[in-house]
Amino acid sequence: MDQVKLYLKYRIKSYLLYTAIFISGFIIAMFIFGPPKHYVVPTLSMITAYGSLEYVGFRRWQKDKKGVFY
């Protein structure tokens, strides 16, 4: 659990940046295409895709930092 907390501390700036980009992109897309009829499917697919990318990033980070404890 300590490694997860360390990883989240390491990635906090990119989380905030990606969140801001996602919200602004979603608002721009709503202005261009109109609001979606169903919000559940796009939201769940984005959460799944981003979660899988973060899992791969975490595994890669864990492999790079193996044996390093702060």
Side-chain angles (χ1 to χ4, degrees):
M1 191 64 174
D2 291 333
Q3 286 186 346
V4 174
K5 287 181 184 179
L6 185 63
Y7 178 73
L8 291 176
K9 187 183 206 182
Y10 170 75
R11 295 276 300 171
I12 191 70
K13 289 182 183 177
S14 61
Y15 280 134
L16 296 175
L17 177 67
Y18 288 149
T19 302
I21 290 172
F22 169 73
I23 290 171
S24 62
F26 192 70
I27 290 172
I28 291 169
M30 280 180 46
F31 281 129
I32 294 172
F33 300 112
K37 292 180 182 177
H38 305 286
Y39 287 93
V40 175
V41 174
T43 304
L44 288 178
S45 63
M46 286 182 280
I47 289 171
T48 304
Y50 188 68
S52 63
L53 288 174
E54 278 301 315
Y55 179 73
V56 169
F58 174 69
R59 296 300 284 178
R60 189 176 298 147
W61 176 82
Q62 198 175 29
K63 187 176 176 183
D64 291 341
K65 298 290 183 182
K66 190 172 186 176
V68 177
F69 295 102
Y70 294 99

